[in-house]
Amino acid sequence: MSPVPRLLPRTLGARVLLILAAGLLLAHGLSFALLFYERAVATRSMMLTNLEQDIPLSVALLERLRPEERMQWLSQLERRTYRYLLRPARPGTLLPSDRSRQVTALIDDSLRHRYALRPRAVSTSPERYEVELTLADGQPVTIEVTPSLLPIARWLPWVLTAQIALLLACAWLAVRLATRPLVRLAEAAERLDPAQAGEPLPQDGPVEVAKAARALNALQQRVSAHVAERMQILAAISHDLQTPITRMRLRLEAMDESPAQARLLDDVGHISQLVREGVNYARSANVAMGPSARLDLQAFLDSVVGDYQDMGKSVQRVEGNTASLLTHPQVLRRIVQNLIDNALAYAGSAETMVRVDAEGRVCIDVLDRGPGIPDDQLEAVLQPFRRLESSRSRSSGGTGLGLAIAQQLTQALDGRLRLSNREGGGLRATVVLGARA
């Protein structure tokens, strides 16, 4: 990877903003540099013109005035970049710059070479040099020259700062308008769920973005139709298999009892279980939600746990938070039952509880003390037919569809199913729902 992309921000908006801001600031800086250069050239030209016109008149005036009157006129003859002093020049060095030598030559030319000029540099910062001459009566006169640019107005830095701020604000607004549709596209792509239709993306904005939104909506429709078709095929096959499986079971039960018959009956039972869960999984992709109702979740869990306890199962409800939620009771019951069945299959017992997390969302936990799941497999086991061991015996966990069904049903409730390992061993399955009432 080249070093340039590594230095750029990670987001497209930040990169575009950085490029635009750098270009605008560079162009603005270049404009200011040219402006100040032209200002320096104009100031220099104006100073040379004033020197050429002013010095002969000033020196001639000092020649005509009586010695006692000359001091009174010095303030009248003073200019911004040079002034007249009735004294010899201070000690100094030879003129170091071309500009100082050019000014001295201009003074000599304007005085028509009638005076012997004695120039010397007396300061370098700021630049200052003195040109001494002697009047006809022997009075020394020194022309002190201090070149400088015209002073900058106090309001100019504020105006320049306001211009830069305006440029940056316009660049930020342009980048935001350009990247906001891309952000919406990215969010829509993240929400894309093959098992659910979802809301179509608005097809507005710039032509390119609208075209991309139409393509994404069409893709979502095709994916949803493909998934629905596969689910219908799975449901049809699973349903049609139930009749021959039932006939096989009846024929096997009519046979004489033997170890072979017991193994065949066990195999038929497992096939029947697989078919039933296949049908349940296919139905969960297009589940009939039914009417919604407000549930007291602790009472709801008490009802679910009571059903298992009536069957002699080791299922308990642990004290947690009090919460009520507007949801679909039958769908939520199927989710919790699937999670409890999974815990019973692997651990032989299960605990359930209601809690509210730090963000105010209602969570239903199903806990067990089974073998747990490796951390790198916690997401994978939510996929259909994904199990941690190759065996498909009833005693080792069923068909691998229980968690996948719970995942699909949780998404139908706009929730999220999370798995995590518990300290001390075991698994925590968490159904994350909306905010509590």
Side-chain angles (χ1 to χ4, degrees):
M1 180 183 293
S2 62
V4 175
R6 214 177 303 166
L7 298 176
L8 291 175
R10 294 184 61 84
T11 63
L12 176 62
R15 290 188 179 189
V16 175
L17 179 60
L18 177 63
I19 294 172
L20 284 178
L24 290 173
L25 292 177
L26 184 61
H28 211 51
L30 182 60
S31 299
F32 290 156
L34 293 175
L35 175 64
F36 287 123
Y37 175 75
E38 190 276 336
R39 185 187 183 95
V41 172
T43 302
R44 178 180 176 183
S45 176
M46 184 169 57
M47 185 187 74
L48 294 177
T49 301
N50 290 342
L51 280 171
E52 187 176 14
Q53 296 175 354
D54 187 69
I55 286 181
L57 294 176
S58 299
V59 172
L61 178 61
L62 292 175
E63 285 279 17
R64 298 295 187 274
L65 292 172
R66 295 193 301 271
E68 62 273 13
E69 297 176 339
R70 291 170 178 164
M71 184 62 68
Q72 301 173 3
W73 280 85
L74 292 181
S75 59
Q76 303 295 325
L77 301 177
E78 184 176 343
R79 301 292 182 264
R80 188 181 63 86
T81 56
Y82 58 91
R83 63 177 179 165
Y84 300 91
L85 304 171
L86 298 178
R87 62 164 177 79
R90 290 181 295 175
T93 60
L94 296 177
L95 299 179
S97 64
D98 293 337
R99 179 172 62 180
S100 60
R101 289 189 289 270
Q102 181 182 5
V103 169
T104 301
L106 179 65
I107 294 174
D108 194 22
D109 292 340
S110 65
L111 294 174
R112 300 181 183 277
H113 313 290
R114 292 196 302 268
Y115 299 91
L117 302 182
R118 296 176 292 279
R120 64 200 70 180
V122 297
S123 175
T124 57
S125 181
E127 182 182 7
R128 181 177 294 120
Y129 45 92
E130 297 181 351
V131 181
E132 181 186 346
L133 57 88
T134 303
L135 299 179
D137 61 358
Q139 172 69 55
V141 176
T142 297
I143 305 172
E144 183 187 71
V145 183
T146 308
S148 64
L149 293 174
L150 290 174
I152 298 176
R154 292 182 178 180
W155 49 264
L156 184 59
W158 297 103
V159 171
L160 298 181
T161 303
Q163 287 180 345
I164 293 175
L166 181 60
L167 287 174
L168 293 178
C170 290
W172 174 83
L173 180 60
V175 170
R176 187 167 182 268
L177 291 176
T179 57
R180 183 190 296 175
L182 297 178
V183 173
R184 291 207 305 263
L185 280 175
E187 292 174 350
E190 289 178 353
R191 294 193 303 268
L192 182 61
D193 184 4
Q196 299 179 4
E199 291 294 329
L201 189 68
Q203 299 177 10
D204 53 7
V207 175
E208 296 81 2
V209 175
K211 185 177 180 180
R214 286 194 297 269
L216 186 60
N217 288 335
L219 175 62
Q220 183 172 358
Q221 292 175 359
R222 290 195 297 269
V223 171
S224 298
H226 178 68
V227 171
E229 181 183 2
R230 294 188 62 184
M231 289 301 175
Q232 290 176 357
I233 294 173
L234 176 61
I237 294 175
S238 299
H239 182 270
D240 291 344
L241 284 175
Q242 289 180 352
T243 300
I245 290 173
T246 302
R247 290 199 301 266
M248 291 173 61
R249 176 182 291 277
L250 292 174
R251 291 170 181 170
L252 287 172
E253 289 176 351
M255 295 173 59
D256 296 334
E257 293 185 4
S258 65
Q261 182 207 30
R263 288 194 296 269
L264 288 173
L265 285 174
D266 185 66
D267 290 340
V268 170
H270 178 64
I271 294 173
S272 179
Q273 174 68 16
L274 177 61
V275 169
R276 285 195 300 271
E277 292 192 4
V279 172
N280 291 334
Y281 179 71
R283 289 174 177 171
S284 66
N286 298 283
V287 61
M289 301 295 290
S292 59
R294 184 164 298 281
L295 286 182
D296 180 339
L297 292 180
Q298 286 190 329
F300 168 76
L301 287 185
D302 284 336
S303 173
V304 175
V305 169
D307 291 342
Y308 279 95
Q309 290 178 347
D310 290 343
M311 295 185 292
K313 303 291 186 180
S314 178
V315 180
Q316 304 293 329
R317 183 178 72 82
V318 180
E319 289 298 326
N321 301 118
T322 301
S324 63
L325 190 70
L326 184 64
T327 185
H328 299 273
Q330 296 304 319
V331 178
L332 185 59
R333 178 177 288 269
R334 288 181 59 190
I335 295 171
V336 175
Q337 287 174 342
N338 275 30
L339 296 177
I340 292 177
D341 290 341
N342 185 76
L344 292 174
Y346 284 95
S349 63
E351 296 177 338
T352 66
M353 66 177 293
V354 178
R355 63 182 176 88
V356 180
D357 65 9
E359 299 179 8
R361 296 173 302 186
V362 175
C363 301
I364 297 178
D365 290 331
V366 176
L367 311 120
D368 65 57
R369 285 299 181 184
I373 297 174
D375 291 338
D376 58 348
Q377 296 291 321
L378 289 173
E379 292 293 332
V381 295
L382 297 177
Q383 301 301 316
F385 302 105
R386 185 64 178 265
R387 299 175 69 249
L388 296 181
E389 72 277 344
S390 59
S391 169
R392 287 187 176 271
S393 68
R394 177 64 179 168
S395 61
S396 63
T399 60
L401 285 174
L403 291 177
I405 293 172
Q407 165 85 332
Q408 285 200 144
L409 294 176
T410 303
Q411 291 175 348
L413 294 181
D414 294 328
R416 191 154 53 99
L417 177 60
R418 295 186 308 198
L419 302 180
S420 60
N421 288 304
R422 302 175 64 189
E423 291 185 7
L427 185 70
R428 177 191 296 270
T430 303
V431 181
V432 183
L433 301 170
R436 67 174 172 179

